[in-house]
Amino acid sequence: MLASKEMLCFPKFVRLNSTAPAVFINRNPRNLERMRIARKPDGYHLDKPGRKFWHKLILTPTNRTVKAEVVHYINGPVIEAKTSEKALRNQLYSMTDTCAYINLGKVFAQRCLECGITEMHCDIEPGKGGKVEKFLEQVVKGGIQLKEVDVYKKPLPWDQHRPEKPWEVIEE
């Protein structure tokens, strides 16, 4: 009788004495980028902006709206936020003023953090005290770094400087 009550409490797919599998297969396509060992595309040396990034911030202002997006070098747009979205549009007086840029930066940073993107390449040069500068300030305040780290290069046995491996955590 006791065994039948226990079976009623637990669904069939839950095992009480289960163990973790011995082999773990990570299917995250961006795992190597997070560990800093994925290849970063170089592009051509004559390209002005360069193509040495995994994720890039693109800000596209138009006459009516502003759009911010993160573009992956292979897969294209990953995350985007626009001032023309209903939730943002209803809270703004104008979709292209300074307040719109500030709020777009906050929303964009939040979406990036929710998706796990904390660093991205940014080659936008803002004017001093302008709208774009306010947008970038809010993105940085939101916890996003606007510079990607370099690819981890395995040190040679004779190298004096041996950087910490990004996937190892040293507790102090």
Side-chain angles (χ1 to χ4, degrees):
M1 183 77 176
L2 183 61
S4 64
K5 283 184 181 178
E6 287 178 358
M7 295 303 279
L8 291 175
C9 294
F10 295 106
K12 290 182 181 179
F13 59 87
V14 175
R15 294 182 185 167
L16 297 176
N17 296 327
S18 65
T19 59
V23 177
F24 174 73
I25 300 171
N26 189 350
R27 294 190 176 116
N28 183 356
R30 302 210 170 89
N31 188 43
L32 296 177
E33 295 169 7
R34 300 284 305 205
M35 290 181 3
R36 295 178 28 206
I37 57 176
R39 185 185 75 80
K40 234 182 209 186
D42 288 335
Y44 296 104
H45 67 281
L46 295 176
D47 287 344
K48 185 179 180 226
R51 295 203 52 211
K52 197 164 181 134
F53 61 85
W54 289 309
H55 297 100
K56 183 177 182 178
L57 171 64
I58 296 178
L59 186 67
T60 312
T62 62
N63 290 338
R64 293 177 174 241
T65 63
V66 181
K67 179 170 100 172
E69 62 183 347
V70 175
V71 176
H72 189 260
Y73 78 100
I74 292 176
N75 300 332
V78 179
I79 302 167
E80 76 174 15
K82 301 184 225 179
T83 55
S84 62
E85 294 173 6
K86 187 169 175 67
L88 268 173
R89 184 178 65 219
N90 291 342
Q91 301 296 323
L92 298 173
Y93 176 74
S94 170
M95 290 191 284
T96 58
D97 64 349
T98 306
C99 184
Y101 277 83
I102 291 171
N103 288 313
L104 182 68
K106 289 178 183 179
V107 169
F108 181 72
Q110 180 66 32
R111 288 183 186 175
C112 288
L113 290 178
E114 287 173 358
C115 291
I117 296 176
T118 57
E119 319 170 320
M120 63 186 73
H121 174 73
C122 177
D123 58 359
I124 301 171
E125 301 208 8
K128 187 162 174 78
K131 298 176 190 178
V132 177
E133 184 182 30
K134 303 281 186 192
F135 168 79
L136 294 175
E137 284 176 8
Q138 291 302 318
V139 170
V140 171
K141 279 185 188 175
I144 306 297
Q145 294 179 357
L146 296 179
K147 182 178 184 279
E148 284 186 334
V149 292
D150 292 330
V151 176
Y152 175 76
K153 183 183 169 208
K154 183 181 176 197
L156 298 171
W158 53 82
D159 288 345
Q160 187 174 10
H161 175 67
R162 293 178 178 262
E164 179 181 322
K165 295 176 183 163
W167 55 87
E168 290 182 354
V169 178
I170 299 173
E171 294 182 21
E172 294 177 5

mmCIF file of all heavy atoms in Angstrom, residues 24-39 54-55 72-75 115-117 119 149 151-152 166-168:
data_model
loop_
_atom_site.group_PDB
_atom_site.id
_atom_site.type_symbol
_atom_site.label_atom_id
_atom_site.label_comp_id
_atom_site.label_asym_id
_atom_site.label_seq_id
_atom_site.Cartn_x
_atom_site.Cartn_y
_atom_site.Cartn_z
ATOM 1 N N PHE A 24 28.726 14.230 -21.084
ATOM 2 C CA PHE A 24 27.870 15.394 -21.298
ATOM 3 C C PHE A 24 28.190 15.987 -22.660
ATOM 4 O O PHE A 24 29.345 16.274 -22.966
ATOM 5 C CB PHE A 24 28.114 16.438 -20.209
ATOM 6 C CG PHE A 24 27.369 17.715 -20.435
ATOM 7 C CD1 PHE A 24 26.006 17.783 -20.247
ATOM 8 C CD2 PHE A 24 28.033 18.843 -20.859
ATOM 9 C CE1 PHE A 24 25.322 18.955 -20.462
ATOM 10 C CE2 PHE A 24 27.361 20.023 -21.085
ATOM 11 C CZ PHE A 24 25.989 20.081 -20.879
ATOM 12 N N ILE A 25 27.182 16.158 -23.489
ATOM 13 C CA ILE A 25 27.362 16.754 -24.804
ATOM 14 C C ILE A 25 26.755 18.142 -24.769
ATOM 15 O O ILE A 25 25.542 18.279 -24.596
ATOM 16 C CB ILE A 25 26.708 15.898 -25.905
ATOM 17 C CG1 ILE A 25 27.338 14.510 -25.923
ATOM 18 C CG2 ILE A 25 26.842 16.577 -27.252
ATOM 19 C CD1 ILE A 25 26.625 13.522 -26.811
ATOM 20 N N ASN A 26 27.589 19.154 -24.931
ATOM 21 C CA ASN A 26 27.107 20.524 -24.927
ATOM 22 C C ASN A 26 26.678 20.890 -26.343
ATOM 23 O O ASN A 26 27.486 20.905 -27.257
ATOM 24 C CB ASN A 26 28.195 21.469 -24.433
ATOM 25 C CG ASN A 26 27.675 22.853 -24.202
ATOM 26 O OD1 ASN A 26 26.546 23.175 -24.575
ATOM 27 N ND2 ASN A 26 28.485 23.675 -23.583
ATOM 28 N N ARG A 27 25.408 21.238 -26.498
ATOM 29 C CA ARG A 27 24.884 21.562 -27.817
ATOM 30 C C ARG A 27 24.737 23.051 -28.024
ATOM 31 O O ARG A 27 24.095 23.482 -28.973
ATOM 32 C CB ARG A 27 23.554 20.860 -28.018
ATOM 33 C CG ARG A 27 23.706 19.364 -28.056
ATOM 34 C CD ARG A 27 22.435 18.703 -28.500
ATOM 35 N NE ARG A 27 22.651 17.277 -28.610
ATOM 36 C CZ ARG A 27 22.041 16.379 -27.869
ATOM 37 N NH1 ARG A 27 21.168 16.749 -26.968
ATOM 38 N NH2 ARG A 27 22.286 15.109 -28.041
ATOM 39 N N ASN A 28 25.299 23.853 -27.140
ATOM 40 C CA ASN A 28 25.225 25.300 -27.290
ATOM 41 C C ASN A 28 26.178 25.722 -28.406
ATOM 42 O O ASN A 28 27.386 25.532 -28.305
ATOM 43 C CB ASN A 28 25.612 25.983 -25.981
ATOM 44 C CG ASN A 28 25.493 27.479 -26.039
ATOM 45 O OD1 ASN A 28 25.186 28.049 -27.083
ATOM 46 N ND2 ASN A 28 25.725 28.118 -24.915
ATOM 47 N N PRO A 29 25.677 26.321 -29.481
ATOM 48 C CA PRO A 29 26.565 26.662 -30.599
ATOM 49 C C PRO A 29 27.545 27.776 -30.259
ATOM 50 O O PRO A 29 28.548 27.938 -30.945
ATOM 51 C CB PRO A 29 25.594 27.111 -31.688
ATOM 52 C CG PRO A 29 24.375 27.532 -30.965
ATOM 53 C CD PRO A 29 24.297 26.682 -29.741
ATOM 54 N N ARG A 30 27.294 28.532 -29.207
ATOM 55 C CA ARG A 30 28.173 29.642 -28.870
ATOM 56 C C ARG A 30 29.053 29.350 -27.661
ATOM 57 O O ARG A 30 29.636 30.241 -27.068
ATOM 58 C CB ARG A 30 27.336 30.894 -28.630
ATOM 59 C CG ARG A 30 26.524 31.215 -29.851
ATOM 60 C CD ARG A 30 26.273 32.671 -29.997
ATOM 61 N NE ARG A 30 25.701 32.928 -31.296
ATOM 62 C CZ ARG A 30 24.401 32.915 -31.556
ATOM 63 N NH1 ARG A 30 23.549 32.667 -30.605
ATOM 64 N NH2 ARG A 30 23.959 33.163 -32.769
ATOM 65 N N ASN A 31 29.136 28.082 -27.284
ATOM 66 C CA ASN A 31 29.912 27.717 -26.115
ATOM 67 C C ASN A 31 31.395 28.025 -26.303
ATOM 68 O O ASN A 31 32.049 28.523 -25.393
ATOM 69 C CB ASN A 31 29.716 26.236 -25.799
ATOM 70 C CG ASN A 31 30.341 25.859 -24.494
ATOM 71 O OD1 ASN A 31 30.222 26.584 -23.521
ATOM 72 N ND2 ASN A 31 31.023 24.742 -24.473
ATOM 73 N N LEU A 32 31.942 27.762 -27.474
ATOM 74 C CA LEU A 32 33.361 28.020 -27.705
ATOM 75 C C LEU A 32 33.658 29.520 -27.689
ATOM 76 O O LEU A 32 34.740 29.936 -27.283
ATOM 77 C CB LEU A 32 33.810 27.397 -29.030
ATOM 78 C CG LEU A 32 33.738 25.879 -29.093
ATOM 79 C CD1 LEU A 32 34.139 25.392 -30.468
ATOM 80 C CD2 LEU A 32 34.594 25.254 -28.032
ATOM 81 N N GLU A 33 32.691 30.331 -28.123
ATOM 82 C CA GLU A 33 32.872 31.783 -28.056
ATOM 83 C C GLU A 33 32.904 32.250 -26.606
ATOM 84 O O GLU A 33 33.674 33.126 -26.245
ATOM 85 C CB GLU A 33 31.744 32.480 -28.804
ATOM 86 C CG GLU A 33 31.756 32.202 -30.278
ATOM 87 C CD GLU A 33 30.498 32.665 -30.966
ATOM 88 O OE1 GLU A 33 29.662 33.324 -30.322
ATOM 89 O OE2 GLU A 33 30.342 32.359 -32.153
ATOM 90 N N ARG A 34 32.049 31.662 -25.781
ATOM 91 C CA ARG A 34 32.020 32.039 -24.368
ATOM 92 C C ARG A 34 33.311 31.629 -23.660
ATOM 93 O O ARG A 34 33.754 32.298 -22.739
ATOM 94 C CB ARG A 34 30.823 31.388 -23.677
ATOM 95 C CG ARG A 34 29.472 31.753 -24.221
ATOM 96 C CD ARG A 34 29.075 33.085 -23.785
ATOM 97 N NE ARG A 34 29.126 33.148 -22.347
ATOM 98 C CZ ARG A 34 28.440 33.953 -21.611
ATOM 99 N NH1 ARG A 34 27.631 34.780 -22.173
ATOM 100 N NH2 ARG A 34 28.565 33.972 -20.317
ATOM 101 N N MET A 35 33.917 30.518 -24.103
ATOM 102 C CA MET A 35 35.172 30.079 -23.501
ATOM 103 C C MET A 35 36.384 30.763 -24.126
ATOM 104 O O MET A 35 37.509 30.500 -23.733
ATOM 105 C CB MET A 35 35.308 28.565 -23.635
ATOM 106 C CG MET A 35 34.335 27.843 -22.767
ATOM 107 S SD MET A 35 34.381 26.043 -22.785
ATOM 108 C CE MET A 35 35.684 25.556 -23.798
ATOM 109 N N ARG A 36 36.166 31.615 -25.132
ATOM 110 C CA ARG A 36 37.197 32.390 -25.814
ATOM 111 C C ARG A 36 38.166 31.526 -26.614
ATOM 112 O O ARG A 36 39.312 31.902 -26.812
ATOM 113 C CB ARG A 36 37.986 33.239 -24.814
ATOM 114 C CG ARG A 36 37.179 34.281 -24.157
ATOM 115 C CD ARG A 36 37.926 35.090 -23.141
ATOM 116 N NE ARG A 36 39.337 35.205 -23.386
ATOM 117 C CZ ARG A 36 40.232 35.423 -22.439
ATOM 118 N NH1 ARG A 36 39.869 35.539 -21.207
ATOM 119 N NH2 ARG A 36 41.503 35.528 -22.732
ATOM 120 N N ILE A 37 37.726 30.384 -27.090
ATOM 121 C CA ILE A 37 38.624 29.568 -27.902
ATOM 122 C C ILE A 37 38.093 29.389 -29.318
ATOM 123 O O ILE A 37 38.721 28.710 -30.121
ATOM 124 C CB ILE A 37 38.901 28.190 -27.254
ATOM 125 C CG1 ILE A 37 37.599 27.434 -26.995
ATOM 126 C CG2 ILE A 37 39.690 28.350 -25.987
ATOM 127 C CD1 ILE A 37 37.817 26.034 -26.445
ATOM 128 N N ALA A 38 36.958 29.982 -29.637
ATOM 129 C CA ALA A 38 36.431 29.902 -31.004
ATOM 130 C C ALA A 38 37.241 30.824 -31.918
ATOM 131 O O ALA A 38 37.831 31.810 -31.479
ATOM 132 C CB ALA A 38 34.965 30.305 -31.039
ATOM 133 N N ARG A 39 37.245 30.495 -33.190
ATOM 134 C CA ARG A 39 37.950 31.312 -34.169
ATOM 135 C C ARG A 39 37.210 32.627 -34.352
ATOM 136 O O ARG A 39 35.993 32.666 -34.472
ATOM 137 C CB ARG A 39 38.022 30.569 -35.497
ATOM 138 C CG ARG A 39 38.827 31.285 -36.550
ATOM 139 C CD ARG A 39 38.753 30.567 -37.870
ATOM 140 N NE ARG A 39 37.480 30.747 -38.538
ATOM 141 C CZ ARG A 39 37.146 31.828 -39.236
ATOM 142 N NH1 ARG A 39 37.980 32.831 -39.329
ATOM 143 N NH2 ARG A 39 35.970 31.918 -39.821
ATOM 144 N N TRP A 54 32.728 38.507 -32.683
ATOM 145 C CA TRP A 54 31.716 37.459 -32.664
ATOM 146 C C TRP A 54 30.334 38.104 -32.698
ATOM 147 O O TRP A 54 29.475 37.688 -33.423
ATOM 148 C CB TRP A 54 31.849 36.592 -31.425
ATOM 149 C CG TRP A 54 33.056 35.709 -31.432
ATOM 150 C CD1 TRP A 54 33.447 34.874 -32.435
ATOM 151 C CD2 TRP A 54 34.030 35.591 -30.409
ATOM 152 N NE1 TRP A 54 34.601 34.227 -32.082
ATOM 153 C CE2 TRP A 54 34.982 34.643 -30.840
ATOM 154 C CE3 TRP A 54 34.197 36.158 -29.165
ATOM 155 C CZ2 TRP A 54 36.061 34.269 -30.063
ATOM 156 C CZ3 TRP A 54 35.273 35.787 -28.393
ATOM 157 C CH2 TRP A 54 36.203 34.853 -28.850
ATOM 158 N N HIS A 55 30.144 39.121 -31.856
ATOM 159 C CA HIS A 55 28.883 39.858 -31.810
ATOM 160 C C HIS A 55 29.181 41.338 -32.001
ATOM 161 O O HIS A 55 30.156 41.849 -31.460
ATOM 162 C CB HIS A 55 28.189 39.669 -30.461
ATOM 163 C CG HIS A 55 27.796 38.258 -30.200
ATOM 164 N ND1 HIS A 55 28.533 37.421 -29.410
ATOM 165 C CD2 HIS A 55 26.747 37.527 -30.643
ATOM 166 C CE1 HIS A 55 27.958 36.245 -29.365
ATOM 167 N NE2 HIS A 55 26.869 36.279 -30.111
ATOM 168 N N HIS A 72 25.477 38.490 -35.069
ATOM 169 C CA HIS A 72 26.504 37.464 -34.986
ATOM 170 C C HIS A 72 27.207 37.381 -36.333
ATOM 171 O O HIS A 72 26.575 37.573 -37.377
ATOM 172 C CB HIS A 72 25.868 36.120 -34.630
ATOM 173 C CG HIS A 72 26.850 35.056 -34.319
ATOM 174 N ND1 HIS A 72 27.208 34.107 -35.239
ATOM 175 C CD2 HIS A 72 27.556 34.793 -33.207
ATOM 176 C CE1 HIS A 72 28.094 33.294 -34.705
ATOM 177 N NE2 HIS A 72 28.325 33.685 -33.463
ATOM 178 N N TYR A 73 28.496 37.101 -36.327
ATOM 179 C CA TYR A 73 29.255 37.163 -37.586
ATOM 180 C C TYR A 73 28.842 36.095 -38.589
ATOM 181 O O TYR A 73 29.071 36.260 -39.778
ATOM 182 C CB TYR A 73 30.765 37.109 -37.319
ATOM 183 C CG TYR A 73 31.311 35.743 -37.011
ATOM 184 C CD1 TYR A 73 31.963 34.987 -37.973
ATOM 185 C CD2 TYR A 73 31.189 35.204 -35.734
ATOM 186 C CE1 TYR A 73 32.473 33.748 -37.688
ATOM 187 C CE2 TYR A 73 31.696 33.966 -35.440
ATOM 188 C CZ TYR A 73 32.334 33.239 -36.416
ATOM 189 O OH TYR A 73 32.835 32.013 -36.132
ATOM 190 N N ILE A 74 28.195 35.014 -38.156
ATOM 191 C CA ILE A 74 27.744 33.984 -39.081
ATOM 192 C C ILE A 74 26.224 34.009 -39.235
ATOM 193 O O ILE A 74 25.697 34.045 -40.335
ATOM 194 C CB ILE A 74 28.164 32.575 -38.610
ATOM 195 C CG1 ILE A 74 29.664 32.413 -38.687
ATOM 196 C CG2 ILE A 74 27.491 31.492 -39.438
ATOM 197 C CD1 ILE A 74 30.160 31.089 -38.148
ATOM 198 N N ASN A 75 25.520 34.018 -38.115
ATOM 199 C CA ASN A 75 24.072 33.817 -38.116
ATOM 200 C C ASN A 75 23.255 35.077 -38.323
ATOM 201 O O ASN A 75 22.040 34.996 -38.420
ATOM 202 C CB ASN A 75 23.642 33.134 -36.824
ATOM 203 C CG ASN A 75 24.290 31.785 -36.654
ATOM 204 O OD1 ASN A 75 24.618 31.135 -37.640
ATOM 205 N ND2 ASN A 75 24.498 31.382 -35.434
ATOM 206 N N CYS A 115 19.657 36.943 -22.751
ATOM 207 C CA CYS A 115 20.108 35.965 -23.747
ATOM 208 C C CYS A 115 21.527 35.478 -23.494
ATOM 209 O O CYS A 115 22.019 34.627 -24.226
ATOM 210 C CB CYS A 115 20.012 36.567 -25.144
ATOM 211 S SG CYS A 115 18.325 36.817 -25.659
ATOM 212 N N GLY A 116 22.211 36.036 -22.523
ATOM 213 C CA GLY A 116 23.556 35.580 -22.189
ATOM 214 C C GLY A 116 24.664 36.281 -22.939
ATOM 215 O O GLY A 116 25.806 35.836 -22.912
ATOM 216 N N ILE A 117 24.376 37.368 -23.597
ATOM 217 C CA ILE A 117 25.415 38.116 -24.304
ATOM 218 C C ILE A 117 25.838 39.276 -23.409
ATOM 219 O O ILE A 117 25.054 40.185 -23.143
ATOM 220 C CB ILE A 117 24.904 38.618 -25.659
ATOM 221 C CG1 ILE A 117 24.572 37.429 -26.546
ATOM 222 C CG2 ILE A 117 25.930 39.509 -26.322
ATOM 223 C CD1 ILE A 117 23.965 37.788 -27.868
ATOM 224 N N GLU A 119 29.164 40.723 -23.788
ATOM 225 C CA GLU A 119 30.225 41.486 -24.454
ATOM 226 C C GLU A 119 29.921 41.546 -25.935
ATOM 227 O O GLU A 119 29.449 40.572 -26.507
ATOM 228 C CB GLU A 119 31.584 40.808 -24.280
ATOM 229 C CG GLU A 119 31.824 40.259 -22.931
ATOM 230 C CD GLU A 119 33.053 39.394 -22.867
ATOM 231 O OE1 GLU A 119 33.305 38.621 -23.812
ATOM 232 O OE2 GLU A 119 33.739 39.487 -21.864
ATOM 233 N N VAL A 149 36.632 40.415 -25.571
ATOM 234 C CA VAL A 149 37.951 39.968 -25.143
ATOM 235 C C VAL A 149 38.642 39.259 -26.299
ATOM 236 O O VAL A 149 37.998 38.793 -27.240
ATOM 237 C CB VAL A 149 37.842 39.032 -23.924
ATOM 238 C CG1 VAL A 149 37.373 39.788 -22.709
ATOM 239 C CG2 VAL A 149 36.941 37.864 -24.201
ATOM 240 N N VAL A 151 40.887 36.323 -28.216
ATOM 241 C CA VAL A 151 40.855 34.868 -28.239
ATOM 242 C C VAL A 151 41.978 34.350 -27.363
ATOM 243 O O VAL A 151 43.100 34.878 -27.380
ATOM 244 C CB VAL A 151 41.012 34.350 -29.693
ATOM 245 C CG1 VAL A 151 41.074 32.845 -29.733
ATOM 246 C CG2 VAL A 151 39.888 34.861 -30.549
ATOM 247 N N TYR A 152 41.680 33.316 -26.569
ATOM 248 C CA TYR A 152 42.691 32.715 -25.708
ATOM 249 C C TYR A 152 43.711 31.988 -26.569
ATOM 250 O O TYR A 152 43.363 31.170 -27.418
ATOM 251 C CB TYR A 152 42.040 31.730 -24.736
ATOM 252 C CG TYR A 152 43.024 30.977 -23.892
ATOM 253 C CD1 TYR A 152 43.652 31.585 -22.826
ATOM 254 C CD2 TYR A 152 43.349 29.661 -24.187
ATOM 255 C CE1 TYR A 152 44.563 30.896 -22.063
ATOM 256 C CE2 TYR A 152 44.251 28.964 -23.418
ATOM 257 C CZ TYR A 152 44.860 29.589 -22.354
ATOM 258 O OH TYR A 152 45.771 28.903 -21.601
ATOM 259 N N PRO A 166 40.272 30.794 -19.381
ATOM 260 C CA PRO A 166 38.960 31.380 -19.101
ATOM 261 C C PRO A 166 37.947 30.387 -18.550
ATOM 262 O O PRO A 166 36.973 30.775 -17.949
ATOM 263 C CB PRO A 166 38.504 31.922 -20.454
ATOM 264 C CG PRO A 166 39.426 31.381 -21.455
ATOM 265 C CD PRO A 166 40.626 30.870 -20.774
ATOM 266 N N TRP A 167 38.151 29.101 -18.736
ATOM 267 C CA TRP A 167 37.178 28.124 -18.269
ATOM 268 C C TRP A 167 37.529 27.561 -16.893
ATOM 269 O O TRP A 167 36.790 26.766 -16.362
ATOM 270 C CB TRP A 167 37.022 26.994 -19.279
ATOM 271 C CG TRP A 167 38.306 26.317 -19.619
ATOM 272 C CD1 TRP A 167 38.893 25.284 -18.971
ATOM 273 C CD2 TRP A 167 39.162 26.631 -20.715
ATOM 274 N NE1 TRP A 167 40.056 24.942 -19.565
ATOM 275 C CE2 TRP A 167 40.250 25.752 -20.655
ATOM 276 C CE3 TRP A 167 39.107 27.573 -21.740
ATOM 277 C CZ2 TRP A 167 41.281 25.791 -21.579
ATOM 278 C CZ3 TRP A 167 40.131 27.602 -22.653
ATOM 279 C CH2 TRP A 167 41.196 26.715 -22.576
ATOM 280 N N GLU A 168 38.655 27.957 -16.319
ATOM 281 C CA GLU A 168 39.024 27.521 -14.989
ATOM 282 C C GLU A 168 38.779 28.649 -13.996
ATOM 283 O O GLU A 168 39.144 29.795 -14.239
ATOM 284 C CB GLU A 168 40.493 27.113 -14.934
ATOM 285 C CG GLU A 168 40.799 25.849 -15.684
ATOM 286 C CD GLU A 168 42.258 25.450 -15.572
ATOM 287 O OE1 GLU A 168 43.055 26.223 -14.999
ATOM 288 O OE2 GLU A 168 42.605 24.381 -16.077
#
